[in-house]
């Protein structure tokens, strides 16, 4: 299953026993899940380092270790790879511009023939179903994967 993963889901990756962390690190799912994210996700997570460390009670060193491991599990995609879909994503998500890069990347991958989904807990992104992109919350994804 190919999924674009949004930053809100990835914030939970830093929580000790979170479902996103379990799904991403599960060795049996490693070959069933192919995750993608726009490069800006790393910037967004990095900007919130102090908040993440405080909220999930982890040290800055542990954060840095986990943060540096993210590209091992998620294919980080540069903005120029999905630029042509930004205006369409802006049109679809006119009131929620922070989610535009995730929608644009999803639309770009869909246009390349991938059966692509979006892993996000943002209910408003369900509108992407109209464009052939299934949106999974974390609980929906766990259920889909039989967990």
């Amino acid at each position: 299953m190919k999924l674009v993963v949004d930053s809100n889901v990835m914030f939970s990756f830093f929580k000790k026993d979170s479902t996103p962390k379990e799904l991403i690190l599960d060795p049996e799912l490693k070959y069933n899940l192919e995750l993608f994210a726009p490069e800006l996700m790393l910037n967004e997570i990095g900007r919130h380092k102090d908040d993440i460390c405080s909220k999930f009670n982890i040290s800055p060193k542990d954060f840095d270790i986990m943060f540096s491991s993210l590209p091992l599990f998620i294919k980080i995609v540069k903005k120029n790879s999905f630029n042509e879909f930004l205006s369409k994503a802006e049109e679809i998500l006119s009131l929620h511009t922070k989610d535009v890069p995730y929608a644009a990347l999803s639309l770009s991958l869909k246009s390349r023939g991938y059966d692509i989904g979006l892993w996000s807990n943002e209910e408003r992104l369900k509108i992407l179903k109209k464009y052939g992109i299934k949106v999974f919350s974390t609980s929906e994804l766990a259920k889909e994967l039989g967990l």
Side-chain angles (χ1 to χ4, degrees), residues 20 60 73 96 115 132:
F73 307 106
H96 307 287
D115 183 15

Side-chain angles (χ1 to χ4, degrees), residues 74-114:
I74 302 167
K75 293 179 181 171
I76 304 301
V77 182
K78 295 194 178 294
K79 186 178 178 181
N80 64 3
S81 296
F82 57 88
N83 264 344
E84 66 187 277
F85 293 90
L86 287 171
S87 60
K88 181 67 173 176
E90 287 171 356
E91 180 185 316
I92 296 167
L93 301 174
S94 61
L95 300 176
H96 307 287
T97 56
K98 73 177 190 72
D99 298 316
V100 164
Y102 301 96
L105 177 55
S106 299
L107 292 166
S108 172
L109 292 168
K110 178 81 174 158
S111 78
R112 296 178 198 165
Y114 290 112

